Amino acid sequence: MVNTAAIVLLIGSLFLLLILRVPIAFSLGLSTLATAIYLEIPPMVVTQQMVKGVHSFSLMAIPFFILAGEIMGEGGISKRLIAFSNVIVGRLRGGLAMVNILASMFFGGISGSSVADTSSIGSIMIPMMEKQGYDKDYAINVTVTSSTQGVIIPPSHNVIIYSLAAGGLSVGRLFLGGFLPGALLGISLMVLSYIIAVKRNYPKGEKVSFKEGLKITWESLLGLFTALIIIGGVISGIFTATESAAIATVYAFIITFFVYKEIPLSRMKLILRNSLKTLAMVMAVIATSSAFGWMMAYLKVPTLVTSGLISISDNKYVILLIVNVILLFLGMIMDMAPLILITTPILLPVVTSVGMDPIQFGIVMMLNLGIGLITPPVGSTLFVGCSIGGMPIEKVAKSLMPFYIVMFIYLLLLTFVPQLTLFIPNLLMGS
């Protein structure tokens, strides 16, 4: 029997707490606890579900991903990736915008974080673009939209969270599934930025000499090898995701402090502190999201949603459109990690019932929620970009409209063309 009152209490209290600006981890935990008390479930059960949520070997990869990203971000890799991108596309009309997008693509393969990407690349590129004659809001637009590549292009710790929420999907297949979609997203944004650059007559960049280009490429590839260690180790089966992340962290440490040598070893203390703060927030969200997800399963919310959506229409395309709209809306009001943990058990049965592969749905979900990161009112990446650029979020959001349109069209392609996601995993790891 469906307990409607408990479902309303669970979801209603969550949204009420979010409206009151209570941190997401506390909102999830308190709404779950309140519902448990209403149902006369011992609070200890909620605690057990929280512990169970973080008691996973796969999650051990996340601290290493965060630490490796912090080390490379602090150690000068951002500057080198920008220089490397400039060698490739800087000479084109509006080339600095394309450099921004390409650098975000490369940096996303190291940090796996949209916010980290915007912070590292944006702090360099936004002032640089403004100085070269680009409109400030346009510079912010390019920076925040291109940073969403970081949640798709491997290695992304959000993909590992999805793998866990989906019942243990292959991390290697998910990593491979993100390659082509992430690259095509970057190309789509480059095409749009070139059109805007021609229309507004933005400047071309200066050509880089062959000798200088070789030097820049070599220094950049040393940093990019961090991502190759993680991806190659997981896909080949030599390492687990956790082992690959740990080895990559050691490599990043060596490259940053003994090859690049831009920061002193004493800076490691600050890097560890920042990594620990980020990790504490991520793990708290995962723990409370797990308890919240368990409560939804207890109340049979996933079954109700599946039945409800299928009752609306038996048309595959209609159902997938509705799922996209749901994810886009939720991405506008909640953070990414808890949404992955909460919505995956609910929506995965829906999409698989109409024939969508779980790997494809994972990448579609990443893009959906990535768009949410740059959309008001929550949009954490958009807030970071506006803070760096010193512009009000309302003005930047309005000028983002062409980028929103391109990303939404691309989202539909990703949803309805499975091979964009599945071609590389099937080619390298079998169907």
Side-chain angles (χ1 to χ4, degrees), residues 71 253-259 261 263-265 267-268 271:
I71 291 172
F253 177 84
I254 294 170
I255 292 297
T256 297
F257 290 103
F258 300 103
V259 178
K261 298 180 182 179
I263 56 174
L265 195 57
R267 191 74 170 268
M268 191 64 193
I271 291 172

Side-chain angles (χ1 to χ4, degrees), residues 84 90 93 118 149 158 162 173 204 265 280 351 369 385 392 413:
F84 179 48
R93 173 71 62 188
T118 299
Q149 298 169 101
N158 290 299
Y162 170 76
R173 289 186 70 84
K204 294 181 179 180
L265 195 57
V351 298
L369 302 184
L413 283 174

Side-chain angles (χ1 to χ4, degrees), residues 16-250:
L16 177 61
L17 290 168
L18 290 174
I19 291 170
L20 295 174
R21 297 185 178 275
V22 176
I24 182 67
F26 289 102
S27 298
L28 290 164
L30 289 172
S31 59
T32 305
L33 184 60
T35 308
I37 293 171
Y38 172 78
L39 294 170
E40 298 182 352
I41 297 173
M44 182 57 69
V45 175
V46 176
T47 304
Q48 290 171 343
Q49 293 301 321
M50 290 174 64
V51 173
K52 184 179 178 181
V54 295
H55 188 65
S56 170
F57 180 74
S58 298
L59 288 179
M60 282 296 296
I62 294 178
F64 293 115
F65 279 141
I66 293 172
L67 181 56
E70 284 283 346
I71 291 172
M72 298 302 283
E74 289 282 333
I77 184 63
S78 304
K79 183 172 65 178
R80 287 173 171 81
L81 291 178
I82 289 170
F84 179 48
S85 302
N86 187 57
V87 171
I88 301 173
V89 295
R91 69 195 70 179
L92 302 174
R93 173 71 62 188
L96 213 51
M98 296 187 194
V99 168
N100 193 333
I101 296 167
L102 195 58
S104 291
M105 186 185 297
F106 292 141
F107 192 81
I110 295 173
S111 71
S113 168
S114 174
V115 172
D117 191 335
T118 299
S119 300
S120 299
I121 302 295
S123 60
I124 300 172
M125 289 302 304
I126 292 174
M128 186 184 297
M129 290 179 69
E130 185 183 6
K131 186 177 180 180
Q132 292 293 324
Y134 293 79
D135 296 317
K136 188 188 289 187
D137 59 343
Y138 174 74
I140 297 172
N141 293 344
V142 171
T143 302
V144 298
T145 52
S146 63
S147 72
T148 58
Q149 298 169 101
V151 301
I152 302 174
I153 293 175
S156 167
H157 62 262
N158 290 299
V159 165
I160 294 178
I161 295 174
Y162 170 76
S163 170
L164 180 71
L169 288 177
S170 166
V171 174
R173 289 186 70 84
L174 284 166
F175 278 177
L176 287 174
F179 263 119
L180 189 57
L184 291 177
L185 174 61
I187 292 170
S188 301
L189 295 174
M190 283 186 191
V191 171
L192 174 62
S193 66
Y194 179 77
I195 293 171
I196 294 174
V198 171
K199 184 177 178 180
R200 299 183 184 179
N201 197 32
Y202 286 141
K204 294 181 179 180
E206 296 180 2
K207 292 184 178 180
V208 179
S209 68
F210 181 75
K211 183 178 179 181
E212 184 66 18
L214 284 178
K215 180 183 177 183
I216 291 170
T217 301
W218 168 247
E219 290 185 351
S220 302
L221 290 178
L222 286 174
L224 287 172
F225 194 69
T226 308
L228 185 61
I229 291 173
I230 299 172
I231 299 163
V234 173
I235 293 169
S236 65
I238 298 174
F239 309 121
T240 64
T242 302
E243 292 165 345
S244 295
I247 293 169
T249 302
V250 174

Side-chain angles (χ1 to χ4, degrees), residues 411-426:
L411 174 62
L412 294 179
L413 283 174
L414 206 59
T415 301
F416 298 122
V417 184
Q419 287 306 309
L420 290 177
T421 303
L422 302 177
F423 175 72
I424 294 180
N426 290 344

Side-chain angles (χ1 to χ4, degrees), residues 204-337:
K204 294 181 179 180
E206 296 180 2
K207 292 184 178 180
V208 179
S209 68
F210 181 75
K211 183 178 179 181
E212 184 66 18
L214 284 178
K215 180 183 177 183
I216 291 170
T217 301
W218 168 247
E219 290 185 351
S220 302
L221 290 178
L222 286 174
L224 287 172
F225 194 69
T226 308
L228 185 61
I229 291 173
I230 299 172
I231 299 163
V234 173
I235 293 169
S236 65
I238 298 174
F239 309 121
T240 64
T242 302
E243 292 165 345
S244 295
I247 293 169
T249 302
V250 174
Y251 174 80
F253 177 84
I254 294 170
I255 292 297
T256 297
F257 290 103
F258 300 103
V259 178
Y260 290 164
K261 298 180 182 179
E262 287 200 5
I263 56 174
L265 195 57
S266 58
R267 191 74 170 268
M268 191 64 193
K269 183 178 179 180
L270 177 63
I271 291 172
L272 288 171
R273 184 185 301 156
N274 292 338
S275 300
L276 186 59
K277 286 171 61 178
T278 304
L279 178 62
M281 291 187 289
V282 170
M283 298 307 282
V285 166
I286 290 174
T288 52
S289 296
S290 298
F292 187 89
W294 171 82
M295 183 60 73
M296 286 199 301
Y298 181 84
L299 295 171
K300 297 182 173 59
V301 174
T303 304
L304 291 172
V305 172
T306 302
S307 302
L309 288 177
I310 292 176
S311 68
I312 294 173
S313 172
D314 59 359
N315 187 296
K316 170 183 177 179
Y317 301 104
V318 173
I319 291 175
L320 292 180
L321 277 173
I322 293 172
V323 168
N324 274 318
V325 171
I326 291 171
L327 287 172
L328 285 170
F329 172 73
L330 291 175
M332 292 168 60
I333 59 175
M334 284 182 67
D335 289 330
M336 191 168 191

